[in-house]
Amino acid sequence: RVKAVALPNPPTPNAHLDENSSNMKNVLLVSLLANSATAFTLPTSAVSPNSRLSAVENNHESETIASFDPLNLSEDESSTINNRAAAIAATTALFVSTPLAANAAGPDWGLFEGRTGSLLHPAAMFGMAAMSASTALLGFQWRRQRTLGDEISALKKTLPDLNGASSVSEALAAAQSADTVDSALVSKLKGALGIESEINSLTQERKDLASQGPRDKHFNQGSLLLFIGIAFAIEGPLNTYARAGKLFPGPHLYAGAGLVVLWALAASMVPAMQKGNDTARTVHIGANVAGLGLFAWQVTSGIPILLKVLEFTKWP
């Protein structure tokens, strides 16, 4: 009878591999041993004792060939089922005894797990808070530039008839120098001087805003805010999981998730806004204003977390 061949032990894992990788190798080894333990035994149902003795006396090589049955093809069905059941039981027991929860932190992430990587999220979010306020200001400037035209048109409708003059002051001078002075017209024109001054002021404000280009700046800055904000909203929980092996649900996490949803809602209104939909503009403004409120909540709830990061992490 040919004796079972023992398989070599697997190589010791490196120090930087996590315990889950080592456990998976142990599982594979146990399963392999359990399935191959009977591969080199002599099949009982195919060869009788007398025939085995005869085979040894006549030809030792033929016995070796007959005994080598790595796929257990000659073994009966009940023995095969028992062997497989033993392998499954051993594998299941090893899986159950493996402390997976304790190894959730995973491997060593280097800089990403240290203080340098941990400070990326708060630094980026402080910058995003300032950028959110700046983007909101640009949005209101663009709205002001867009609505100034309606205000100017409404004021022009309140002016009296200028009789072809280019301005109220020019029409007033013509009315006062006429052969027959129309006191009522002169009085109306004098009252319209204030309206003309307001129109000129609004027109100049509109020109100044147009020269600053708030529309394009608001769009570009908002797009950048959406990209960087979502990227670091994902980076923060990933960094926490890399350091601690779990997340910590609380106000900071909830505020960040809500803020991402509001950013997505505000961005989804842009196509309708470009078509002149006032409802979409209202939703866009409301979502961004609510986002600023959540941002303020996120900053205040994140400061204690930042202090813990500084306490429990080291450079780099």
Side-chain angles (χ1 to χ4, degrees), residues 133-145 214 218 284-285:
S134 174
T135 305
L137 178 60
L138 289 172
F140 282 114
Q141 287 179 346
W142 161 237
R143 181 179 177 84
R144 176 63 175 168
Q145 177 187 342
H218 176 71
H284 178 83
I285 295 173

Side-chain angles (χ1 to χ4, degrees), residues 32 34-43 65-77 79-81 83-84:
L32 180 61
N35 281 283
S36 60
T38 60
F40 296 94
T41 58
L42 186 64
I65 295 175
S67 301
F68 185 76
D69 188 17
L71 298 180
N72 299 323
L73 298 178
S74 299
E75 203 170 45
D76 58 6
E77 182 178 357
S79 176
T80 302
I81 294 176
N83 292 335
R84 291 178 180 175

Side-chain angles (χ1 to χ4, degrees), residues 63-274:
E63 180 213 356
T64 303
I65 295 175
S67 301
F68 185 76
D69 188 17
L71 298 180
N72 299 323
L73 298 178
S74 299
E75 203 170 45
D76 58 6
E77 182 178 357
S78 61
S79 176
T80 302
I81 294 176
N82 292 334
N83 292 335
R84 291 178 180 175
I88 293 174
T91 304
T92 303
L94 190 56
F95 263 121
V96 171
S97 63
T98 301
L100 295 178
N103 301 319
D108 184 8
W109 293 98
L111 287 176
F112 182 74
E113 189 175 351
R115 182 172 294 180
T116 302
S118 300
L119 291 179
L120 286 178
H121 179 80
M125 285 304 161
F126 276 117
M128 291 299 97
M131 182 179 287
S132 296
S134 174
T135 305
L137 178 60
L138 289 172
F140 282 114
Q141 287 179 346
W142 161 237
R143 181 179 177 84
R144 176 63 175 168
Q145 177 187 342
R146 184 174 51 82
T147 58
L148 276 176
D150 297 335
E151 293 184 27
I152 293 172
S153 298
L155 288 174
K156 285 183 177 180
K157 292 179 180 180
T158 63
L159 292 175
D161 186 11
L162 302 181
N163 294 324
S166 59
S167 63
V168 175
S169 56
E170 182 180 342
L172 178 59
Q176 290 175 342
S177 62
D179 295 338
T180 303
V181 177
D182 187 348
S183 58
L185 178 60
V186 170
S187 177
K188 288 182 181 180
L189 291 174
K190 286 182 178 180
L193 288 174
I195 299 176
E196 183 182 47
S197 177
E198 186 177 358
I199 291 175
N200 293 336
S201 177
L202 294 176
T203 302
Q204 185 61 41
E205 181 184 358
R206 186 181 183 185
K207 289 180 180 179
D208 293 340
L209 288 174
S211 64
Q212 297 174 9
R215 178 181 181 273
D216 294 337
K217 290 181 180 179
H218 176 71
F219 182 84
N220 295 334
Q221 204 164 293
S223 301
L224 185 63
L225 175 66
L226 182 66
F227 168 70
I228 299 179
I230 292 178
F232 278 95
I234 297 174
E235 182 270 343
L238 290 179
N239 176 263
T240 300
Y241 190 83
R243 286 186 292 102
K246 60 181 179 179
L247 297 180
F248 302 93
H252 187 71
L253 185 62
Y254 300 148
L259 183 58
V260 171
V261 172
L262 290 175
W263 279 340
L265 175 61
S268 67
M269 295 294 107
V270 173
M273 291 167 58
Q274 292 175 340

